[in-house]
Amino acid sequence: MSSADTFLARWADITAIGSAAAVLSWDQETKMPAGGQAGRGQTLSVLAGLQHDHLTDPALAEAIDRASDAAGDDPVLDAQVRMARRDVVRASAVPGDLARRMAEVRSRALGVWQQARADADFSSFAPVLTDVVEMSKEQADALVAAGIAEHRYDALLDEYEPGATEAQLVTLLGDLRDQLSPLVKAVTDSGVVIDESPATGSFAEAAQLELGTVVAGALGYDFESGRLDLSAHPFTTGFDPGDVRITWRPEPDDFRPGLFGIMHEAGHAMYEQGLPTELARTPLGAAVSLGIHESQSRLWENQVGRSRAFWEWALPRFQQAFPGTDSVTVEALFPALHTVTPSLIRVEADEATYNLHIVARFEIERQLIAGSVEVADLPDLWNDTYDELLGVRPTSVTDGVLQDIHWAMGAIGYFPTYAIGNLVAAQLFDAATGAIDDLPGRIASGDFAPLLEWLRDNVHRHGRALSADELVERATGVPLSSAPFLDYLRTTTADVYGIRL
Ligand code: ZN
């Protein structure tokens, strides 16, 4: 075996353990009986430990070194080595003792958070959240010491969005906040009420599933390499480019969460189905970042799914699926796909206000990590921030600071990836529109292949060979910016609400 083969064979083993865990997690969310919870948790924690052991095995580090010596002028092997080293440094940076304490505190925090949320009682969650924050700081310091990033928050962010920095986000999300907040306020002040009746009524689950399946298949989601199941929270999970699964959850009286949820997850899944098979099970054969992942879901859900062009194709199929909708027109439906309503709950937010929910979390969590805010101050800080950004104020911590699972899971630095995804989606779609001859016309006739091919070529085929920043700049000709997203929102808001800002 050549030194490169030895290195890649070890890497394939690590990937296989991850895939096995992912299958078990998929089963846990879709099929497993409630009684399986404890046993499944134990199995998953053994697999996570096993994967960590393989990743930090000195024999792997040696194999990487030997492959590096042999790489010569092979740029792909060179990139494999660089990416593998980074993953190994990251996994080895956190001492075993801290890793064990983190796992213990996180699992305790999840249980306490669930109860505190049900009781609307922040004070019972505060002590364990303090532990999570303190351990996240320790973890970040260990990562900084290992050279993963320069600053604490950057080190945490790096796990989800490699290479991104707090400084970069302060500019990007600050811009978003400064321009989005007045836009949302102008919509609220306008008093315009959108007629949402074309999107509401009675939508049988079987008909929603059939329409969602037709749409996902037409976009390019490959059902031969995937499947669609029900789950409490929709998600995508891939075990290999040949098996990438999605889930959904319908609402009986509103077709939007079901259909747009399927388009969203299909977008995530087409990215993973499009990862290069020759890089499968290697350090380069995965998605580059959560922000880029989210850009793929948002692009199909929003830029495509909420466009007039898409509905010219989709409306007859919609009307066929749901009897009694014959009088619905694209013009009547369009405003109901672009409502702007400030609300308290992130996961129910529309495409405009969603990013302000993210800005709020980013501003709060970076102060937590910097130590300029105490856990005890969070409920008031949360409510004040919502008041300022969205003009709404929670009356209960259940709809406020306790609504998300992320901090209880120790996932600090995760939220910004959602906003990055929205910005990248708009920027990529603009570039694709410029590159593809009559893209709206293609979409209106149900020909989604040119767009998918453009994404395959500019995003999917790279795996992790380019950084997220490089990928965006190469695909669009300019660095990531909030301008295309803000233009997109201004256009739809002018169209639907008659407001120009
Ligand atoms: Zn997503």
Side-chain angles (χ1 to χ4, degrees):
M1 230 192 222
S2 76
S3 53
D5 289 343
T6 309
F7 150 53
L8 292 173
R10 282 187 172 270
W11 202 269
D13 288 351
I14 294 168
T15 314
I17 298 168
S19 294
V23 177
L24 291 174
S25 297
W26 172 84
D27 172 76
Q28 186 175 29
E29 302 293 326
T30 55
K31 307 284 176 193
M32 191 185 78
Q37 212 62 16
R40 187 56 51 87
Q42 154 73 4
T43 307
L44 285 171
S45 101
V46 169
L47 287 175
L50 202 57
Q51 198 178 29
H52 187 266
D53 291 347
H54 278 258
L55 204 49
T56 54
D57 185 341
L60 173 65
E62 239 171 77
I64 294 173
D65 285 343
R66 278 200 300 271
S68 172
D69 294 340
D73 50 8
D74 177 346
V76 176
L77 183 57
D78 198 53
Q80 299 280 24
V81 163
R82 250 185 301 121
M83 203 47 74
R85 272 206 179 118
R86 194 178 166 76
D87 289 349
V88 169
V89 167
R90 183 168 250 294
S92 313
V94 175
D97 165 56
L98 175 57
R100 272 188 296 281
R101 271 190 296 137
M102 276 168 45
E104 184 273 318
V105 169
R106 281 171 181 176
S107 96
R108 186 156 50 85
L110 277 177
V112 175
W113 167 75
Q114 259 163 358
Q115 194 57 49
R117 189 166 176 250
D119 299 343
D121 173 24
F122 183 76
S123 64
S124 63
F125 181 55
V128 70
L129 180 58
T130 304
D131 290 346
V132 169
V133 171
E134 287 313 311
M135 277 187 335
S136 298
K137 288 183 193 168
E138 269 188 70
Q139 179 198 11
D141 289 343
L143 292 168
V144 168
I148 287 287
E150 269 185 64
H151 306 288
R152 259 187 191 166
Y153 188 79
D154 297 354
L156 298 176
L157 188 59
D158 183 86
E159 183 171 349
Y160 313 107
E161 200 61 31
T165 64
E166 182 178 6
Q168 179 191 21
L169 290 174
V170 165
T171 307
L172 217 51
L173 298 192
D175 221 27
L176 210 50
R177 178 196 57 215
D178 294 346
Q179 308 209 36
L180 216 45
S181 242
L183 187 69
V184 169
K185 193 170 180 316
V187 169
T188 314
D189 291 349
S190 76
V192 175
V193 177
I194 302 291
D195 173 16
E196 297 188 57
S197 62
T200 59
S202 177
F203 302 96
E205 183 176 322
Q208 289 198 51
L209 177 62
E210 202 182 316
L211 178 66
T213 304
V214 166
V215 169
L219 300 182
Y221 175 65
D222 179 4
F223 280 92
E224 298 293 310
S225 298
R227 52 178 290 135
L228 173 60
D229 293 88
L230 281 170
S231 70
H233 306 283
F235 66 94
T236 296
T237 182
F239 320 129
D240 191 82
D243 190 353
V244 187
R245 304 182 187 187
I246 58 177
T247 71
W248 75 308
R249 190 175 67 157
E251 298 282 343
D253 52 5
D254 185 335
F255 81 86
R256 291 171 294 185
L259 180 64
F260 289 120
I262 288 175
M263 294 182 78
H264 181 100
E265 300 308 330
H268 277 303
M270 288 189 284
Y271 180 14
E272 299 218 356
Q273 288 181 336
L275 290 169
T277 44
E278 69 274 16
L279 295 180
R281 298 174 287 279
T282 76
L284 297 181
V288 60
S289 75
L290 293 189
I292 297 297
H293 225 309
E294 191 68 5
S295 78
Q296 299 306 289
S297 57
R298 286 301 205 175
L299 185 148
W300 291 103
E301 175 195 357
N302 291 340
Q303 271 74 23
V304 174
R306 295 177 199 275
S307 70
R308 285 190 174 87
F310 173 77
W311 281 95
E312 279 178 37
W313 171 79
L315 189 63
R317 287 153 182 87
F318 172 87
Q319 288 169 330
Q320 203 181 359
F322 307 118
T325 58
D326 288 349
S327 61
V328 172
T329 62
V330 172
E331 280 316 303
L333 190 57
F334 187 75
L337 308 179
H338 295 282
T339 53
V340 178
T341 317
S343 65
L344 296 173
I345 308 292
R346 174 185 61 86
V347 294
E348 295 165 5
D350 55 68
E351 56 180 346
T353 59
Y354 190 91
N355 296 285
L356 293 172
H357 291 261
I358 300 306
V359 169
R361 285 154 179 78
F362 169 65
E363 289 182 354
I364 292 169
E365 70 179 14
R366 73 193 189 93
Q367 292 182 70
L368 267 182
I369 291 302
S372 54
V373 153
E374 299 294 325
V375 165
D377 303 330
L378 284 186
D380 286 342
L381 177 61
W382 183 282
N383 294 353
D384 293 346
T385 307
Y386 263 68
D387 230 346
E388 191 194 325
L389 293 179
L390 285 146
V392 292
R393 195 176 181 90
T395 53
S396 155
V397 284
T398 303
D399 297 335
V401 68
L402 288 183
Q403 69 183 266
D404 294 308
I405 198 171
H406 301 60
W407 289 342
M409 288 168 62
I412 297 175
Y414 189 113
F415 285 120
T417 68
Y418 293 121
I420 291 171
N422 289 325
L423 302 186
V424 174
Q427 192 164 328
L428 286 175
F429 192 74
D430 276 2
T433 305
I436 299 166
D437 187 37
D438 188 23
L439 180 58
R442 304 281 194 116
I443 290 175
S445 66
D447 181 13
F448 303 100
L451 178 57
L452 181 58
E453 275 160 30
W454 190 89
L455 293 170
R456 290 263 189 265
D457 197 38
N458 285 279
V459 181
H460 307 172
R461 77 178 166 93
H462 296 300
R464 290 165 91 199
L466 298 177
S467 73
D469 280 347
E470 286 168 346
L471 185 150
V472 169
E473 196 160 346
R474 269 210 213 180
T476 68
V478 285
L480 176 59
S481 119
S482 55
F485 176 75
L486 287 164
D487 283 348
Y488 163 78
L489 273 188
R490 284 197 193 98
T491 307
T492 54
T493 313
D495 193 331
V496 170
Y497 287 91
I499 290 167
R500 278 167 217 285
L501 272 195

